[in-house]
């Protein structure tokens, strides 16, 4: 797997830690919601960045009061037809004004990238053979938008009626 930001592979400085694994002494870690809830005080007390991995049935509202503690929220796509993570990303950017990284993980397909960008995803964990051209192409797919998105671009209605 590789991590892609701004259309290019980047080094992943985060370690995803399984629920039954020991936390490393230092360094940035991504933990599950279950682990965060079970070990909240211990995780918050660490002197290292914390990331959170949410399954598609775990909305960000479950940790709304702690969102400012996370630098990364990884949203899972368990299968291509499960789109709940789109809504979760949009809620993170819109309702909760989350400024950290929103990472798409799991079954991420190239044709989903344009809508993921519109919903606020800015990092993608994809297979090593994933075509990087999909990221450049994704930015050109929607030249006009009818619904507001996280980019702040004006909708067609706003463009017509100023």
């Amino acid at each position: 797997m590789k991590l892609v930001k701004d259309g290019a592979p980047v080094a992943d400085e985060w370690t995803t830690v399984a629920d039954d694994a020991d936390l490393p002494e230092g360094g940035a870690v991504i933990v599950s919601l279950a682990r965060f809830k079970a070990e909240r005080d211990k995780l918050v007390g660490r002197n290292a960045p914390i990331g959170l991995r949410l399954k598609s049935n775990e909305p960000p509202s479950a940790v709304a009061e702690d969102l400012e503690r996370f630098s990364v929220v990884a949203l899972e796509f368990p299968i291509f037809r499960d789109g709940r993570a789109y809504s979760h990303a949009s809620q993170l950017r819109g309702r909760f004004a989350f400024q950290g990284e929103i990472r798409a993980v799991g079954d991420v397909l190239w044709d989903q990238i344009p809508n993921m960008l519109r919903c606020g995803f800015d990092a993608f964990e994809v297979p090593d053979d994933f075509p990087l051209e999909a990221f450049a192409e994704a930015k050109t797919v929607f030249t006009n938008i009818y619904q507001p998105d996280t980019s702040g671009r004006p909708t067609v209605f706003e463009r017509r009626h100023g």
Side-chain angles (χ1 to χ4, degrees):
M1 297 297 262
K2 61 184 171 189
L3 181 64
V4 177
K5 290 183 180 179
D6 296 324
V10 296
D12 190 356
E13 299 173 359
W14 294 82
T15 302
T16 300
V17 180
D19 287 347
D20 59 349
D22 292 333
L23 288 172
E25 287 297 319
V29 295
I30 297 175
V31 297
S32 71
L33 177 61
R35 185 163 193 168
F36 180 75
K37 285 185 171 182
E39 301 176 24
R40 182 188 178 280
D41 292 339
K42 179 180 176 183
L43 288 163
V44 171
R46 290 179 76 234
N47 191 20
I50 306 170
L52 181 67
R53 184 172 177 132
L54 295 176
K55 295 179 180 175
S56 62
N57 65 345
E58 298 171 336
S61 59
V63 288
E65 65 279 354
D66 286 314
L67 280 174
E68 74 276 353
R69 299 181 187 281
F70 304 113
S71 300
V72 172
V73 175
L75 299 174
E76 289 184 10
F77 286 86
I79 53 176
F80 76 93
R81 65 179 183 267
D82 187 340
R84 290 177 283 185
Y86 290 105
S87 300
H88 296 165
S90 185
Q91 289 173 356
L92 282 167
R93 294 288 188 223
R95 183 188 302 169
F96 300 114
F98 182 72
Q99 298 297 310
E101 175 184 302
I102 299 178
R103 183 180 295 195
V105 298
D107 196 13
V108 176
L109 303 177
W110 68 269
D111 60 347
Q112 297 173 317
I113 301 297
N115 284 319
M116 288 179 175
L117 290 170
R118 291 193 66 208
C119 291
F121 285 95
D122 55 1
F124 306 87
E125 195 176 285
V126 294
D128 291 333
D129 62 348
F130 194 91
L132 293 178
E133 304 82 41
F135 294 97
E137 186 179 315
K139 293 180 180 177
T140 64
V141 169
F142 299 114
T143 54
N144 295 303
I145 57 172
Y146 288 90
Q147 296 175 328
D149 64 15
T150 60
S151 72
R153 292 187 313 166
T155 63
V156 169
F157 181 82
E158 292 168 334
R159 293 173 69 183
R160 283 186 186 156
H161 304 288

